[in-house]
Structures are given as structure tokens and as C-alpha cells.
Amino acid sequence: MGNSINRNSLVTTIIAAFMIIMGSAVLADERADRHEKRLEMMKERLELTDGQLNEIRAIMESARLEGERDREKYREAKDREGARETAKARQKATEEKIEAVLNDKQKEKYDKMKDEMGRRKDRRGERPGGRRGGGTKGGRRGMGR
């Protein structure tokens, strides 16, 4: 019987590890999809050339991979503040690299896009149950929704 318990425990551990790995892969895919959608929006709104699009894609992919490594590092260290500060610095550096690829007219449009996205993000945070203060705890949605 002891053998059966050890085998069940091992199977449970393997299944849990598999689920964690698959969950991480799904999140990484979702982030990659968001980056691709953002690239398409930028291409259209900023009228990017194919060369600019490829450069920006490489910049964003590099930042995404760096972010994944950082998230894992800070998760293991349980350092949320360090993760937040590193993410802010990475975002700023990424935006500067993107702006270096753009011409003056595109930079103006890009600044407007960033402002719009910032306002949307702020409005999301002001909702009850949002991430930025107010509302209920425990997620983006309030009770009974």
C-alpha cells in the first residue's frame, strides 16, 4: 500500500508541474498576442514602413523576453517592488528605443497614442474593483458581477 501512496503522490506532483508549465506557456502566448496587436495598431496609426515595423517588433520581443526573465527572478525572490521598478525602467527604455526608430511626425503621433493608452489605463483603475484603489479587493471585478 505504501508503494501506491508514493506513486499517487508522484503522479499528482507531475500533473501539478505540467499544469503550471502549461499555464505559463498560455500567459506567454497571450503577451505575445498583445504585442502583435499593438504592433498592428502602431503600423496603421503611425504609418510605419516595413523596416520600422521589423525594428520595433525586435525591440518589443526583446523587452517581452526580458520581462519574462525578470518576472521569474522577482517571483522567486518574492520582491514585488523590485519587479515593479524593473518593469517601469524596462518600459521607459523600450519606449525610448521605439522613438529612436520613428521620424518626427511619427513621434508626435506615438506620444498621443501613449497619452490615450495612459488615460484608458487610469480610467480602468478608477472603476470599482479596479487595481488602483477603491472598490472591492481580490480582483478586477466586484462582487455580484
Side-chain angles (χ1 to χ4, degrees), residues 36-52:
E36 202 55 41
K37 286 178 184 174
R38 184 173 179 206
L39 272 170
E40 287 302 316
M41 178 188 64
M42 290 173 71
K43 178 181 181 182
E44 182 180 306
R45 290 181 66 182
L46 302 178
E47 301 174 30
L48 299 174
T49 66
D50 289 340
Q52 287 175 311

Side-chain angles (χ1 to χ4, degrees), residues 60-125:
M60 290 175 67
E61 179 64 12
S62 175
R64 185 182 68 79
L65 293 173
E66 194 177 310
E68 287 177 12
R69 284 190 301 269
D70 287 344
R71 275 186 291 283
E72 184 62 32
K73 179 176 89 174
Y74 287 106
R75 184 179 302 120
E76 288 174 8
K78 297 181 181 180
D79 181 5
R80 284 186 170 193
E81 188 59 34
R84 193 173 300 124
E85 292 304 316
T86 301
K88 279 184 191 178
R90 183 178 47 260
Q91 181 178 358
K92 184 175 193 249
T94 300
E95 288 176 358
E96 289 171 357
K97 289 175 188 175
I98 290 171
E99 287 176 3
V101 173
L102 304 176
N103 64 37
D104 290 340
K105 183 178 175 183
Q106 290 169 323
K107 285 179 188 176
E108 285 179 31
K109 290 180 182 180
Y110 184 60
D111 286 340
K112 288 178 185 176
M113 278 177 50
K114 289 190 305 185
D115 288 345
E116 287 173 18
M117 288 186 286
R119 282 195 301 273
R120 283 188 207 134
K121 188 175 178 181
D122 287 343
R123 283 194 305 265
R124 280 194 315 258

